Amino acid sequence: LGQPDHNSNLSSNGGVSAASLAFPIGVHYDGRKLFVSDYNHRRIQIWNSLPTSNMQPANVVLGHTAMTHSNPNDNGSNVSGPPSANNNAGGYGLFSDGQRLFYADSNNHRVLIWNSIPASNYQAADVVLGHPDFSYSLYNDNGSNVTGSPSASNLYFPISVFSDGRSLYVADYNNHRVLMWDKIPTSNGAAANRVLGQTVMTTANAGCSAAGVYNPGGIFGDGA
């Protein structure tokens, strides 16, 4: 995908389109649909069934109104604006539990949640984590779109996300921690219930020990 054959490697091969990719960095298949985090195009590409041909175009794009757009925080016209429920600034990891879609919008320091699998371009997310609303973008947001200290409610370059359908887990890369929500959050800015890598929610110490972590880059669980 993203190239016409296995020997090509051009970024945005053929230009920004439903079939091109530029630094795809996250991929997930839920058994029905394929999701790709297309980082340099600031979008999520969704194939409604598993592709069977080279450079097959995606069916749905999130982050833009059209498959030919690529600017960060797209205002709907391929012009960069403030963050919203519809756009992103470039994210890494994504995951679907088959019912919902979770996306680490890393450069906006937030996680976006769609309560059902999006079926249309530029579809708005339902819930944002890391900020009290969708218009904020600073890391370790203190609740007023001002950078502060780590807390149970903010993030600093979240890079990976996983859900077992009951709980949510986020690798909060620059805060050197993993945040855990015991239930799938349904409200913006919901506080995490537990933290791994730190003894409290308000520190961001890098550690190399049985209890510490240093820039956790991926997370996955078996649902047990």
Side-chain angles (χ1 to χ4, degrees):
L1 299 178
Q3 305 292 335
D5 55 55
H6 295 89
N7 303 311
S8 302
N9 66 350
L10 294 177
S11 178
S12 301
N13 199 313
V16 184
S17 72
S20 68
L21 296 167
F23 203 72
I25 198 164
V27 61
H28 178 72
Y29 178 59
D30 68 1
R32 296 176 301 168
K33 298 177 185 287
L34 178 68
F35 306 85
V36 173
S37 175
D38 189 11
Y39 182 77
N40 279 352
H41 285 154
R42 294 94 179 179
R43 66 185 185 181
I44 297 171
Q45 296 281 75
I46 303 175
W47 285 261
N48 289 333
S49 59
L50 196 62
T52 57
S53 59
N54 294 346
M55 211 165 177
Q56 185 170 324
N59 302 105
V60 176
V61 62
L62 300 178
H64 303 291
T65 55
M67 296 283 190
T68 54
H69 294 177
S70 64
N71 279 330
N73 292 335
D74 184 357
N75 70 354
S77 302
N78 204 25
V79 175
S80 295
S84 74
N86 305 84
N87 61 31
N88 69 82
Y92 275 57
L94 46 67
F95 187 84
S96 171
D97 62 2
Q99 177 182 345
R100 290 162 287 244
L101 177 63
F102 308 89
Y103 174 59
D105 183 9
S106 308
N107 287 331
N108 277 329
H109 309 289
R110 65 185 187 176
V111 168
L112 299 177
I113 303 175
W114 287 263
N115 290 332
S116 58
I117 305 302
S120 58
N121 295 346
Y122 205 57
Q123 186 168 325
D126 298 290
V127 178
V128 61
L129 302 177
H131 301 294
D133 65 47
F134 290 98
S135 66
Y136 292 2
S137 64
L138 294 181
Y139 68 90
N140 287 343
D141 181 5
N142 72 354
S144 302
N145 206 24
V146 175
T147 297
S149 300
S151 75
S153 303
N154 61 30
L155 297 163
Y156 190 176
F157 205 79
I159 202 169
S160 182
V161 60
F162 170 78
S163 175
D164 59 9
R166 302 184 304 273
S167 304
L168 178 66
Y169 309 85
V170 174
D172 191 12
Y173 185 80
N174 279 342
N175 277 329
H176 309 294
R177 66 185 185 177
V178 172
L179 293 180
M180 309 166 71
W181 286 260
D182 291 338
K183 296 181 179 180
I184 305 299
T186 57
S187 59
N188 295 340
N193 301 103
R194 290 174 285 161
V195 61
L196 299 179
Q198 307 291 328
T199 56
V200 293
M201 296 281 191
T202 54
T203 60
N205 301 313
C208 183
S209 69
V213 296
Y214 189 172
N215 294 139
I219 187 168
F220 191 81
D222 63 4

